[in-house]
Amino acid sequence: MSADAALPFQLDALGVRGRLVRLGPALDAIIERHGYPLAVARPLAEAMVLCATLATSLKYDGIFTLQIAGDGPIRLLVTDLTTDGALRGYAQFDSWKLAVALGVGNSEAPEGYVPKLFGRGRLSFTVDQGQHTQRYQGVVPLEGATLADCAHTYFRQSEQLPTGIKISARRAIVDGTPHWRAAALMVQQMPQYEAGRIHVDREQREDDWRRAVILMASATDAEMLDPALPAETLLFRLFHQEQPRQFARRPFVARCRCSRERIDRVLRSIKREELDDLRDSKGNVSVKCEFCSTEYAYDDRDLDRIYASAA
């Protein structure tokens, strides 16, 4: 299985579906480019694998976005995934607040970091399928110690099917080079009709669901993040008695969607006289993509071209 991919599966015996998502090179490409401190990088890694997990559990054609906004040291975290597997993400944070929250000598995000690093805020999911369709958005308050807890809050409040999620992420040094890995394991109870279990009584369904959650939770962080342990092997190790049925993998790649054409459209929507605040030391209007750090510079001739095309 690719290091950046989702492996969907189904436990027919329990009426449960799920997916195992792993990220590696995509995280390196995104996180190391920004040089985020460890206490910011780990939440971003966990958010990206959560985004990929939730997005691949939906049927949509467009962009799935996960956003966390709070009043803590990390004030904003955004990650999104397109249906063709393009993944990206970035974070905004206050270095001073982060240092105060972590304390002297600490650089990594503590366990149960959500209240300390994000403070009070909200978690939102958005599905955008284009300008001619209605956007779907779900918003819940940040409640819980971990991002998995926050996701559970969303599923409970949105009256979705019972869902369990386990998330792991870590940074390791291999041959002197830092590498990030993140993984998520999700199980979800299927509707009775879809699972073909309309004759199974409620008590049995609840027992089956509890078993699926217990088996999911038994996966260790080491197992989930081990690049030498194939995803298929891990699923069999966890659910061998249920004979997990696996489906086609969904690969991901770190790729930003920014382009000069997109930036042209954004600038064209702003009055020219309002662009002076964006000018750099050379007098050019400079725009930097938050996701990939690419900078786009526009001199006056470029601006003439942009605004002439809008006429």
Side-chain angles (χ1 to χ4, degrees):
M1 178 181 176
S2 168
D4 297 314
L7 178 60
F9 64 90
Q10 193 162 307
L11 308 176
D12 295 313
L14 302 182
V16 168
R17 62 189 169 202
R19 61 206 57 245
L20 172 60
V21 178
R22 282 173 159 177
L23 296 177
L27 294 181
D28 291 341
I30 294 170
I31 292 176
E32 295 302 325
R33 177 191 298 128
H34 291 278
Y36 291 129
L38 293 177
V40 175
R42 180 183 160 199
L44 179 57
E46 293 191 1
M48 284 195 286
V49 79
L50 175 60
C51 174
T53 303
L54 298 178
T56 55
S57 68
L58 300 173
K59 293 181 179 179
Y60 71 100
D61 184 12
I63 305 166
F64 180 94
T65 302
L66 181 154
Q67 178 175 301
I68 303 173
D71 61 4
I74 303 177
R75 55 181 178 266
L76 180 66
L77 190 155
V78 182
T79 176
D80 63 33
L81 179 70
T82 65
T83 45
D84 63 356
L87 180 69
R88 62 181 188 170
Y90 77 93
Q92 293 179 352
F93 63 98
D94 185 304
S95 299
W96 172 251
K97 285 185 177 181
L98 185 65
V100 172
L102 296 176
V104 178
N106 296 317
S107 61
E108 298 199 25
E111 295 303 315
Y113 59 76
V114 169
K116 178 172 287 190
L117 298 187
F118 288 100
R120 294 173 298 178
R122 66 184 186 277
L123 172 68
S124 63
F125 306 108
T126 305
V127 178
D128 188 346
Q129 301 191 85
Q131 60 179 347
H132 300 300
T133 61
Q134 185 174 1
R135 291 177 54 180
Y136 167 80
Q137 184 173 57
V139 182
V140 294
L142 280 177
E143 294 181 352
T146 67
L147 287 189
D149 292 337
C150 296
H152 288 144
T153 297
Y154 166 74
F155 280 107
R156 284 196 304 269
Q157 294 191 7
S158 63
E159 299 182 359
Q160 297 281 346
L161 296 169
T163 302
I165 300 177
K166 181 180 177 70
I167 301 173
S168 299
R170 73 166 178 226
R171 180 179 184 260
I173 306 297
V174 181
D175 297 329
T177 303
H179 289 285
W180 278 95
R181 289 194 66 83
L185 187 59
M186 183 175 81
V187 291
Q188 189 171 58
Q189 190 178 57
M190 299 172 63
Q192 291 176 251
Y193 289 96
E194 186 177 341
R197 289 163 57 86
I198 58 175
H199 301 300
V200 178
D201 62 52
R202 179 177 178 180
E203 184 175 348
Q204 183 63 54
R205 291 199 305 273
E206 291 179 352
D207 287 345
D208 290 342
W209 171 242
R210 281 193 292 268
R211 175 172 174 78
V213 172
I214 291 171
L215 293 174
M216 176 205 71
S218 70
T220 66
D221 291 339
E223 288 176 317
M224 294 178 65
L225 300 174
D226 184 359
L229 179 63
E232 297 84 352
T233 303
L234 176 54
L235 286 183
F236 183 78
R237 183 181 294 180
L238 295 172
F239 306 111
H240 61 276
Q241 291 186 348
E242 287 68 35
Q243 299 181 333
R245 188 155 54 98
Q246 300 173 15
F247 302 95
R249 297 165 181 77
R250 296 278 300 276
F252 310 118
V253 63
R255 186 172 71 240
C256 190
R257 301 192 308 280
C258 74
S259 67
R260 185 166 289 275
E261 290 73 20
R262 286 176 178 265
I263 304 301
D264 286 355
R265 288 196 295 270
V266 172
L267 294 181
R268 194 179 298 125
S269 68
I270 303 173
K271 292 181 179 180
R272 186 163 181 169
E273 58 268 23
E274 296 177 0
L275 297 180
D276 288 340
D277 291 340
L278 299 177
R279 293 187 181 273
D280 58 21
S281 58
K282 297 180 180 179
N284 294 327
V285 171
S286 181
V287 180
K288 182 177 181 179
C289 175
E290 293 275 17
F291 285 99
C292 67
S293 298
T294 299
E295 293 193 17
Y296 298 88
Y298 293 79
D299 59 22
D300 286 324
R301 286 178 300 177
D302 294 323
L303 296 177
D304 289 342
R305 171 183 57 80
I306 291 174
Y307 285 98
S309 65

